[in-house]
Amino acid sequence: MAQSYRDPTFDEVARREEAEIRHAGWIAERARRAEEKRTDPQYRLIRRRRIRRLMKQVMRGQRR
């Protein structure tokens, strides 16, 4: 007979909660790093140049 449902054990619940906490921490760290990167002057300069180059290509019809 196939078992359709069982209550999760304490260890399974603890492992899931631990994974959720780790995931939330990972997301917060990524957001913090992204914010640092966006405020970095070197990154902004490179990004500005890249956008300018891509827009030139679009206007010339070389890129869609």
Side-chain angles (χ1 to χ4, degrees):
M1 181 169 133
Q3 190 173 7
S4 61
Y5 176 78
R6 67 176 176 78
D7 287 331
T9 64
F10 176 78
D11 291 337
E12 289 172 339
V13 172
R15 190 171 51 246
R16 286 182 197 153
E17 289 175 352
E18 168 70 26
E20 288 174 7
I21 291 169
R22 259 195 334 266
H23 185 66
W26 180 75
I27 297 232
E29 178 66 18
R30 278 189 67 192
R32 184 186 66 77
R33 286 185 183 181
E35 182 61 32
E36 280 181 6
K37 190 173 189 178
R38 279 193 299 271
T39 57
D40 180 30
Q42 281 299 109
Y43 173 77
R44 291 174 62 101
L45 180 65
I46 291 168
R47 186 163 170 80
R48 197 175 311 128
R49 286 178 181 161
R50 181 169 182 239
I51 290 171
R52 190 179 307 134
R53 183 177 52 81
L54 289 173
M55 285 306 297
K56 274 186 198 175
Q57 289 177 353
V58 167
M59 297 306 280
R60 288 185 196 141
Q62 295 173 345
R63 190 178 190 105
R64 285 195 202 184

mmCIF file of all heavy atoms in Angstrom, residues 3-45:
data_model
loop_
_atom_site.group_PDB
_atom_site.id
_atom_site.type_symbol
_atom_site.label_atom_id
_atom_site.label_comp_id
_atom_site.label_asym_id
_atom_site.label_seq_id
_atom_site.Cartn_x
_atom_site.Cartn_y
_atom_site.Cartn_z
ATOM 1 N N GLN A 3 1.978 4.942 0.698
ATOM 2 C CA GLN A 3 1.702 5.928 1.728
ATOM 3 C C GLN A 3 1.538 7.286 1.047
ATOM 4 O O GLN A 3 2.428 7.748 0.339
ATOM 5 C CB GLN A 3 2.865 5.947 2.717
ATOM 6 C CG GLN A 3 2.579 6.754 3.939
ATOM 7 C CD GLN A 3 3.700 6.588 4.966
ATOM 8 O OE1 GLN A 3 4.711 5.976 4.672
ATOM 9 N NE2 GLN A 3 3.507 7.136 6.136
ATOM 10 N N SER A 4 0.397 7.912 1.254
ATOM 11 C CA SER A 4 0.137 9.157 0.550
ATOM 12 C C SER A 4 0.611 10.383 1.324
ATOM 13 O O SER A 4 0.992 11.378 0.747
ATOM 14 C CB SER A 4 -1.354 9.284 0.248
ATOM 15 O OG SER A 4 -2.079 9.295 1.466
ATOM 16 N N TYR A 5 0.591 10.331 2.657
ATOM 17 C CA TYR A 5 1.010 11.494 3.439
ATOM 18 C C TYR A 5 1.513 11.035 4.791
ATOM 19 O O TYR A 5 0.991 10.097 5.379
ATOM 20 C CB TYR A 5 -0.141 12.476 3.639
ATOM 21 C CG TYR A 5 0.252 13.627 4.519
ATOM 22 C CD1 TYR A 5 1.014 14.664 4.003
ATOM 23 C CD2 TYR A 5 -0.080 13.653 5.864
ATOM 24 C CE1 TYR A 5 1.422 15.712 4.800
ATOM 25 C CE2 TYR A 5 0.313 14.698 6.674
ATOM 26 C CZ TYR A 5 1.067 15.726 6.136
ATOM 27 O OH TYR A 5 1.478 16.759 6.930
ATOM 28 N N ARG A 6 2.523 11.714 5.252
ATOM 29 C CA ARG A 6 2.982 11.493 6.626
ATOM 30 C C ARG A 6 3.470 12.820 7.162
ATOM 31 O O ARG A 6 3.906 13.694 6.413
ATOM 32 C CB ARG A 6 4.084 10.449 6.684
ATOM 33 C CG ARG A 6 5.364 10.878 6.034
ATOM 34 C CD ARG A 6 6.451 9.808 6.214
ATOM 35 N NE ARG A 6 7.651 10.184 5.518
ATOM 36 C CZ ARG A 6 8.544 11.074 5.953
ATOM 37 N NH1 ARG A 6 8.368 11.682 7.103
ATOM 38 N NH2 ARG A 6 9.611 11.374 5.246
ATOM 39 N N ASP A 7 3.389 12.969 8.448
ATOM 40 C CA ASP A 7 3.886 14.192 9.065
ATOM 41 C C ASP A 7 5.407 14.213 8.953
ATOM 42 O O ASP A 7 6.058 13.185 9.152
ATOM 43 C CB ASP A 7 3.482 14.252 10.541
ATOM 44 C CG ASP A 7 2.006 14.548 10.720
ATOM 45 O OD1 ASP A 7 1.436 15.214 9.840
ATOM 46 O OD2 ASP A 7 1.438 14.119 11.737
ATOM 47 N N PRO A 8 5.971 15.371 8.644
ATOM 48 C CA PRO A 8 7.436 15.442 8.563
ATOM 49 C C PRO A 8 8.039 15.265 9.958
ATOM 50 O O PRO A 8 7.457 15.675 10.961
ATOM 51 C CB PRO A 8 7.703 16.835 8.013
ATOM 52 C CG PRO A 8 6.474 17.609 8.280
ATOM 53 C CD PRO A 8 5.343 16.628 8.331
ATOM 54 N N THR A 9 9.193 14.679 9.998
ATOM 55 C CA THR A 9 9.877 14.509 11.278
ATOM 56 C C THR A 9 10.472 15.836 11.712
ATOM 57 O O THR A 9 10.576 16.791 10.924
ATOM 58 C CB THR A 9 11.004 13.469 11.162
ATOM 59 O OG1 THR A 9 11.976 13.978 10.255
ATOM 60 C CG2 THR A 9 10.482 12.128 10.692
ATOM 61 N N PHE A 10 10.875 15.884 12.961
ATOM 62 C CA PHE A 10 11.476 17.101 13.495
ATOM 63 C C PHE A 10 12.710 17.492 12.682
ATOM 64 O O PHE A 10 12.918 18.663 12.372
ATOM 65 C CB PHE A 10 11.858 16.887 14.966
ATOM 66 C CG PHE A 10 12.578 18.056 15.555
ATOM 67 C CD1 PHE A 10 11.885 19.189 15.955
ATOM 68 C CD2 PHE A 10 13.958 18.050 15.676
ATOM 69 C CE1 PHE A 10 12.554 20.279 16.483
ATOM 70 C CE2 PHE A 10 14.636 19.135 16.205
ATOM 71 C CZ PHE A 10 13.930 20.251 16.610
ATOM 72 N N ASP A 11 13.535 16.499 12.326
ATOM 73 C CA ASP A 11 14.752 16.782 11.560
ATOM 74 C C ASP A 11 14.440 17.376 10.192
ATOM 75 O O ASP A 11 15.121 18.293 9.731
ATOM 76 C CB ASP A 11 15.575 15.507 11.377
ATOM 77 C CG ASP A 11 16.191 15.024 12.681
ATOM 78 O OD1 ASP A 11 16.360 15.861 13.602
ATOM 79 O OD2 ASP A 11 16.500 13.828 12.779
ATOM 80 N N GLU A 12 13.396 16.866 9.541
ATOM 81 C CA GLU A 12 13.026 17.410 8.223
ATOM 82 C C GLU A 12 12.560 18.846 8.340
ATOM 83 O O GLU A 12 12.931 19.701 7.534
ATOM 84 C CB GLU A 12 11.927 16.555 7.602
ATOM 85 C CG GLU A 12 12.393 15.193 7.156
ATOM 86 C CD GLU A 12 11.232 14.312 6.714
ATOM 87 O OE1 GLU A 12 10.073 14.586 7.120
ATOM 88 O OE2 GLU A 12 11.486 13.370 5.973
ATOM 89 N N VAL A 13 11.748 19.134 9.348
ATOM 90 C CA VAL A 13 11.261 20.504 9.554
ATOM 91 C C VAL A 13 12.433 21.425 9.869
ATOM 92 O O VAL A 13 12.534 22.529 9.316
ATOM 93 C CB VAL A 13 10.199 20.545 10.681
ATOM 94 C CG1 VAL A 13 9.830 21.982 11.025
ATOM 95 C CG2 VAL A 13 8.968 19.763 10.276
ATOM 96 N N ALA A 14 13.335 20.981 10.737
ATOM 97 C CA ALA A 14 14.498 21.798 11.091
ATOM 98 C C ALA A 14 15.375 22.055 9.867
ATOM 99 O O ALA A 14 15.878 23.159 9.675
ATOM 100 C CB ALA A 14 15.308 21.104 12.184
ATOM 101 N N ARG A 15 15.562 21.040 9.021
ATOM 102 C CA ARG A 15 16.372 21.200 7.814
ATOM 103 C C ARG A 15 15.727 22.199 6.857
ATOM 104 O O ARG A 15 16.408 23.042 6.276
ATOM 105 C CB ARG A 15 16.552 19.837 7.134
ATOM 106 C CG ARG A 15 17.561 19.859 6.018
ATOM 107 C CD ARG A 15 17.912 18.479 5.488
ATOM 108 N NE ARG A 15 16.741 17.680 5.147
ATOM 109 C CZ ARG A 15 16.371 16.553 5.793
ATOM 110 N NH1 ARG A 15 17.071 16.092 6.789
ATOM 111 N NH2 ARG A 15 15.295 15.889 5.413
ATOM 112 N N ARG A 16 14.406 22.125 6.711
ATOM 113 C CA ARG A 16 13.716 23.089 5.831
ATOM 114 C C ARG A 16 13.842 24.509 6.364
ATOM 115 O O ARG A 16 14.069 25.450 5.598
ATOM 116 C CB ARG A 16 12.232 22.729 5.722
ATOM 117 C CG ARG A 16 11.976 21.536 4.861
ATOM 118 C CD ARG A 16 10.496 21.272 4.766
ATOM 119 N NE ARG A 16 10.261 19.925 4.284
ATOM 120 C CZ ARG A 16 9.186 19.216 4.550
ATOM 121 N NH1 ARG A 16 8.221 19.721 5.286
ATOM 122 N NH2 ARG A 16 9.048 18.004 4.072
ATOM 123 N N GLU A 17 13.654 24.671 7.678
ATOM 124 C CA GLU A 17 13.764 26.006 8.262
ATOM 125 C C GLU A 17 15.186 26.549 8.105
ATOM 126 O O GLU A 17 15.370 27.728 7.798
ATOM 127 C CB GLU A 17 13.360 25.971 9.734
ATOM 128 C CG GLU A 17 11.879 25.769 9.926
ATOM 129 C CD GLU A 17 11.492 25.600 11.384
ATOM 130 O OE1 GLU A 17 12.391 25.490 12.243
ATOM 131 O OE2 GLU A 17 10.284 25.571 11.657
ATOM 132 N N GLU A 18 16.168 25.692 8.318
ATOM 133 C CA GLU A 18 17.571 26.090 8.141
ATOM 134 C C GLU A 18 17.829 26.518 6.699
ATOM 135 O O GLU A 18 18.493 27.523 6.437
ATOM 136 C CB GLU A 18 18.483 24.927 8.529
ATOM 137 C CG GLU A 18 19.927 25.095 8.133
ATOM 138 C CD GLU A 18 20.642 26.167 8.921
ATOM 139 O OE1 GLU A 18 20.223 26.431 10.057
ATOM 140 O OE2 GLU A 18 21.610 26.751 8.394
ATOM 141 N N ALA A 19 17.282 25.772 5.745
ATOM 142 C CA ALA A 19 17.462 26.110 4.330
ATOM 143 C C ALA A 19 16.806 27.448 4.011
ATOM 144 O O ALA A 19 17.359 28.262 3.261
ATOM 145 C CB ALA A 19 16.890 25.011 3.449
ATOM 146 N N GLU A 20 15.627 27.701 4.571
ATOM 147 C CA GLU A 20 14.946 28.982 4.336
ATOM 148 C C GLU A 20 15.757 30.140 4.905
ATOM 149 O O GLU A 20 15.879 31.193 4.270
ATOM 150 C CB GLU A 20 13.557 28.952 4.961
ATOM 151 C CG GLU A 20 12.570 28.070 4.227
ATOM 152 C CD GLU A 20 11.240 27.958 4.954
ATOM 153 O OE1 GLU A 20 11.031 28.680 5.964
ATOM 154 O OE2 GLU A 20 10.413 27.146 4.519
ATOM 155 N N ILE A 21 16.324 29.941 6.086
ATOM 156 C CA ILE A 21 17.130 30.993 6.712
ATOM 157 C C ILE A 21 18.392 31.253 5.882
ATOM 158 O O ILE A 21 18.765 32.402 5.636
ATOM 159 C CB ILE A 21 17.492 30.607 8.162
ATOM 160 C CG1 ILE A 21 16.237 30.634 9.031
ATOM 161 C CG2 ILE A 21 18.562 31.521 8.736
ATOM 162 C CD1 ILE A 21 16.411 30.024 10.402
ATOM 163 N N ARG A 22 19.052 30.167 5.436
ATOM 164 C CA ARG A 22 20.249 30.328 4.600
ATOM 165 C C ARG A 22 19.908 31.054 3.303
ATOM 166 O O ARG A 22 20.649 31.925 2.852
ATOM 167 C CB ARG A 22 20.842 28.950 4.272
ATOM 168 C CG ARG A 22 22.012 28.575 5.100
ATOM 169 C CD ARG A 22 22.802 27.400 4.536
ATOM 170 N NE ARG A 22 22.084 26.478 3.695
ATOM 171 C CZ ARG A 22 21.499 25.346 4.102
ATOM 172 N NH1 ARG A 22 21.558 25.004 5.363
ATOM 173 N NH2 ARG A 22 20.872 24.567 3.258
ATOM 174 N N HIS A 23 18.784 30.684 2.700
ATOM 175 C CA HIS A 23 18.372 31.302 1.439
ATOM 176 C C HIS A 23 18.099 32.798 1.638
ATOM 177 O O HIS A 23 18.496 33.623 0.810
ATOM 178 C CB HIS A 23 17.148 30.588 0.888
ATOM 179 C CG HIS A 23 16.734 31.073 -0.459
ATOM 180 N ND1 HIS A 23 17.513 30.893 -1.588
ATOM 181 C CD2 HIS A 23 15.637 31.758 -0.873
ATOM 182 C CE1 HIS A 23 16.908 31.438 -2.627
ATOM 183 N NE2 HIS A 23 15.769 31.970 -2.214
ATOM 184 N N ALA A 24 17.420 33.136 2.719
ATOM 185 C CA ALA A 24 17.134 34.547 2.994
ATOM 186 C C ALA A 24 18.433 35.323 3.200
ATOM 187 O O ALA A 24 18.578 36.459 2.723
ATOM 188 C CB ALA A 24 16.237 34.668 4.218
ATOM 189 N N GLY A 25 19.391 34.717 3.884
ATOM 190 C CA GLY A 25 20.690 35.371 4.084
ATOM 191 C C GLY A 25 21.421 35.556 2.771
ATOM 192 O O GLY A 25 22.051 36.595 2.532
ATOM 193 N N TRP A 26 21.350 34.551 1.912
ATOM 194 C CA TRP A 26 21.993 34.619 0.600
ATOM 195 C C TRP A 26 21.395 35.742 -0.233
ATOM 196 O O TRP A 26 22.116 36.519 -0.866
ATOM 197 C CB TRP A 26 21.811 33.265 -0.097
ATOM 198 C CG TRP A 26 22.417 33.186 -1.442
ATOM 199 C CD1 TRP A 26 23.742 33.065 -1.754
ATOM 200 C CD2 TRP A 26 21.730 33.210 -2.696
ATOM 201 N NE1 TRP A 26 23.910 33.003 -3.119
ATOM 202 C CE2 TRP A 26 22.682 33.094 -3.717
ATOM 203 C CE3 TRP A 26 20.391 33.311 -3.046
ATOM 204 C CZ2 TRP A 26 22.344 33.090 -5.051
ATOM 205 C CZ3 TRP A 26 20.060 33.299 -4.382
ATOM 206 C CH2 TRP A 26 21.033 33.195 -5.358
ATOM 207 N N ILE A 27 20.068 35.857 -0.198
ATOM 208 C CA ILE A 27 19.385 36.917 -0.963
ATOM 209 C C ILE A 27 19.793 38.292 -0.427
ATOM 210 O O ILE A 27 20.051 39.216 -1.207
ATOM 211 C CB ILE A 27 17.858 36.727 -0.873
ATOM 212 C CG1 ILE A 27 17.506 35.418 -1.522
ATOM 213 C CG2 ILE A 27 17.112 37.918 -1.410
ATOM 214 C CD1 ILE A 27 16.450 35.430 -2.556
ATOM 215 N N ALA A 28 19.859 38.434 0.896
ATOM 216 C CA ALA A 28 20.245 39.715 1.492
ATOM 217 C C ALA A 28 21.676 40.076 1.099
ATOM 218 O O ALA A 28 21.975 41.236 0.796
ATOM 219 C CB ALA A 28 20.102 39.647 3.010
ATOM 220 N N GLU A 29 22.562 39.089 1.093
ATOM 221 C CA GLU A 29 23.958 39.337 0.709
ATOM 222 C C GLU A 29 24.053 39.757 -0.756
ATOM 223 O O GLU A 29 24.800 40.682 -1.104
ATOM 224 C CB GLU A 29 24.789 38.072 0.960
ATOM 225 C CG GLU A 29 26.237 38.189 0.557
ATOM 226 C CD GLU A 29 27.022 39.186 1.384
ATOM 227 O OE1 GLU A 29 26.565 39.553 2.482
ATOM 228 O OE2 GLU A 29 28.098 39.617 0.921
ATOM 229 N N ARG A 30 23.295 39.097 -1.620
ATOM 230 C CA ARG A 30 23.296 39.486 -3.042
ATOM 231 C C ARG A 30 22.796 40.908 -3.224
ATOM 232 O O ARG A 30 23.339 41.674 -4.021
ATOM 233 C CB ARG A 30 22.405 38.540 -3.853
ATOM 234 C CG ARG A 30 23.088 37.265 -4.216
ATOM 235 C CD ARG A 30 22.261 36.471 -5.182
ATOM 236 N NE ARG A 30 22.162 37.152 -6.459
ATOM 237 C CZ ARG A 30 21.320 36.809 -7.421
ATOM 238 N NH1 ARG A 30 20.513 35.804 -7.256
ATOM 239 N NH2 ARG A 30 21.289 37.462 -8.564
ATOM 240 N N ALA A 31 21.744 41.271 -2.493
ATOM 241 C CA ALA A 31 21.200 42.628 -2.598
ATOM 242 C C ALA A 31 22.235 43.651 -2.124
ATOM 243 O O ALA A 31 22.393 44.711 -2.740
ATOM 244 C CB ALA A 31 19.916 42.740 -1.779
ATOM 245 N N ARG A 32 22.941 43.322 -1.034
ATOM 246 C CA ARG A 32 23.955 44.244 -0.522
ATOM 247 C C ARG A 32 25.084 44.420 -1.532
ATOM 248 O O ARG A 32 25.516 45.544 -1.815
ATOM 249 C CB ARG A 32 24.522 43.707 0.800
ATOM 250 C CG ARG A 32 25.508 44.645 1.466
ATOM 251 C CD ARG A 32 26.159 44.013 2.681
ATOM 252 N NE ARG A 32 27.007 42.877 2.338
ATOM 253 C CZ ARG A 32 28.228 42.978 1.807
ATOM 254 N NH1 ARG A 32 28.735 44.162 1.527
ATOM 255 N NH2 ARG A 32 28.941 41.897 1.541
ATOM 256 N N ARG A 33 25.538 43.314 -2.115
ATOM 257 C CA ARG A 33 26.612 43.406 -3.113
ATOM 258 C C ARG A 33 26.169 44.171 -4.356
ATOM 259 O O ARG A 33 26.938 44.938 -4.934
ATOM 260 C CB ARG A 33 27.083 42.014 -3.517
ATOM 261 C CG ARG A 33 27.914 41.358 -2.468
ATOM 262 C CD ARG A 33 28.446 40.050 -2.953
ATOM 263 N NE ARG A 33 29.196 39.380 -1.913
ATOM 264 C CZ ARG A 33 29.790 38.230 -2.067
ATOM 265 N NH1 ARG A 33 29.719 37.606 -3.225
ATOM 266 N NH2 ARG A 33 30.443 37.679 -1.080
ATOM 267 N N ALA A 34 24.922 43.939 -4.783
ATOM 268 C CA ALA A 34 24.413 44.658 -5.958
ATOM 269 C C ALA A 34 24.364 46.158 -5.684
ATOM 270 O O ALA A 34 24.696 46.971 -6.558
ATOM 271 C CB ALA A 34 23.029 44.131 -6.327
ATOM 272 N N GLU A 35 23.955 46.520 -4.482
ATOM 273 C CA GLU A 35 23.898 47.941 -4.127
ATOM 274 C C GLU A 35 25.307 48.543 -4.120
ATOM 275 O O GLU A 35 25.513 49.647 -4.630
ATOM 276 C CB GLU A 35 23.244 48.103 -2.747
ATOM 277 C CG GLU A 35 23.099 49.539 -2.319
ATOM 278 C CD GLU A 35 22.240 50.366 -3.254
ATOM 279 O OE1 GLU A 35 21.301 49.805 -3.853
ATOM 280 O OE2 GLU A 35 22.521 51.571 -3.396
ATOM 281 N N GLU A 36 26.275 47.821 -3.567
ATOM 282 C CA GLU A 36 27.664 48.307 -3.583
ATOM 283 C C GLU A 36 28.153 48.490 -5.010
ATOM 284 O O GLU A 36 28.811 49.469 -5.336
ATOM 285 C CB GLU A 36 28.586 47.302 -2.875
ATOM 286 C CG GLU A 36 28.569 47.371 -1.388
ATOM 287 C CD GLU A 36 29.516 46.362 -0.764
ATOM 288 O OE1 GLU A 36 30.263 45.679 -1.502
ATOM 289 O OE2 GLU A 36 29.504 46.254 0.469
ATOM 290 N N LYS A 37 27.823 47.532 -5.859
ATOM 291 C CA LYS A 37 28.287 47.591 -7.243
ATOM 292 C C LYS A 37 27.665 48.776 -7.974
ATOM 293 O O LYS A 37 28.354 49.483 -8.711
ATOM 294 C CB LYS A 37 27.921 46.277 -7.943
ATOM 295 C CG LYS A 37 28.555 46.116 -9.284
ATOM 296 C CD LYS A 37 28.297 44.733 -9.826
ATOM 297 C CE LYS A 37 29.112 44.498 -11.068
ATOM 298 N NZ LYS A 37 28.927 43.162 -11.603
ATOM 299 N N ARG A 38 26.364 49.003 -7.754
ATOM 300 C CA ARG A 38 25.699 50.119 -8.432
ATOM 301 C C ARG A 38 26.267 51.466 -8.018
ATOM 302 O O ARG A 38 26.245 52.413 -8.789
ATOM 303 C CB ARG A 38 24.199 50.085 -8.140
ATOM 304 C CG ARG A 38 23.445 49.125 -9.001
ATOM 305 C CD ARG A 38 21.953 49.348 -8.898
ATOM 306 N NE ARG A 38 21.443 49.161 -7.558
ATOM 307 C CZ ARG A 38 21.024 48.000 -7.063
ATOM 308 N NH1 ARG A 38 21.055 46.923 -7.801
ATOM 309 N NH2 ARG A 38 20.579 47.926 -5.837
ATOM 310 N N THR A 39 26.750 51.575 -6.795
ATOM 311 C CA THR A 39 27.275 52.860 -6.334
ATOM 312 C C THR A 39 28.764 53.024 -6.636
ATOM 313 O O THR A 39 29.303 54.102 -6.415
ATOM 314 C CB THR A 39 27.046 53.029 -4.810
ATOM 315 O OG1 THR A 39 27.662 51.945 -4.128
ATOM 316 C CG2 THR A 39 25.563 53.059 -4.495
ATOM 317 N N ASP A 40 29.411 51.983 -7.133
ATOM 318 C CA ASP A 40 30.834 52.050 -7.454
ATOM 319 C C ASP A 40 31.047 52.911 -8.700
ATOM 320 O O ASP A 40 30.468 52.653 -9.750
ATOM 321 C CB ASP A 40 31.368 50.637 -7.704
ATOM 322 C CG ASP A 40 32.841 50.623 -8.043
ATOM 323 O OD1 ASP A 40 33.566 51.519 -7.569
ATOM 324 O OD2 ASP A 40 33.259 49.716 -8.784
ATOM 325 N N PRO A 41 31.879 53.956 -8.620
ATOM 326 C CA PRO A 41 32.073 54.846 -9.769
ATOM 327 C C PRO A 41 32.654 54.138 -10.995
ATOM 328 O O PRO A 41 32.279 54.450 -12.128
ATOM 329 C CB PRO A 41 33.031 55.918 -9.270
ATOM 330 C CG PRO A 41 33.286 55.662 -7.843
ATOM 331 C CD PRO A 41 32.590 54.406 -7.443
ATOM 332 N N GLN A 42 33.567 53.199 -10.780
ATOM 333 C CA GLN A 42 34.146 52.478 -11.912
ATOM 334 C C GLN A 42 33.085 51.665 -12.651
ATOM 335 O O GLN A 42 33.042 51.648 -13.873
ATOM 336 C CB GLN A 42 35.259 51.540 -11.434
ATOM 337 C CG GLN A 42 36.561 52.231 -11.172
ATOM 338 C CD GLN A 42 37.099 52.890 -12.431
ATOM 339 O OE1 GLN A 42 37.089 54.114 -12.530
ATOM 340 N NE2 GLN A 42 37.552 52.117 -13.375
ATOM 341 N N TYR A 43 32.233 50.990 -11.898
ATOM 342 C CA TYR A 43 31.165 50.189 -12.511
ATOM 343 C C TYR A 43 30.218 51.090 -13.303
ATOM 344 O O TYR A 43 29.816 50.771 -14.408
ATOM 345 C CB TYR A 43 30.396 49.426 -11.429
ATOM 346 C CG TYR A 43 29.186 48.706 -11.965
ATOM 347 C CD1 TYR A 43 29.326 47.520 -12.662
ATOM 348 C CD2 TYR A 43 27.910 49.216 -11.793
ATOM 349 C CE1 TYR A 43 28.236 46.848 -13.174
ATOM 350 C CE2 TYR A 43 26.807 48.559 -12.294
ATOM 351 C CZ TYR A 43 26.967 47.373 -12.977
ATOM 352 O OH TYR A 43 25.892 46.726 -13.490
ATOM 353 N N ARG A 44 29.890 52.234 -12.722
ATOM 354 C CA ARG A 44 28.972 53.160 -13.400
ATOM 355 C C ARG A 44 29.582 53.664 -14.702
ATOM 356 O O ARG A 44 28.893 53.789 -15.723
ATOM 357 C CB ARG A 44 28.620 54.318 -12.472
ATOM 358 C CG ARG A 44 27.761 53.877 -11.295
ATOM 359 C CD ARG A 44 27.544 55.017 -10.327
ATOM 360 N NE ARG A 44 26.845 56.114 -10.946
ATOM 361 C CZ ARG A 44 25.554 56.358 -10.782
ATOM 362 N NH1 ARG A 44 24.835 55.574 -10.032
ATOM 363 N NH2 ARG A 44 24.989 57.379 -11.364
ATOM 364 N N LEU A 45 30.885 53.946 -14.685
ATOM 365 C CA LEU A 45 31.562 54.424 -15.887
ATOM 366 C C LEU A 45 31.543 53.356 -16.983
ATOM 367 O O LEU A 45 31.204 53.641 -18.135
ATOM 368 C CB LEU A 45 33.005 54.809 -15.545
ATOM 369 C CG LEU A 45 33.848 55.330 -16.694
ATOM 370 C CD1 LEU A 45 33.295 56.654 -17.199
ATOM 371 C CD2 LEU A 45 35.283 55.485 -16.238
#
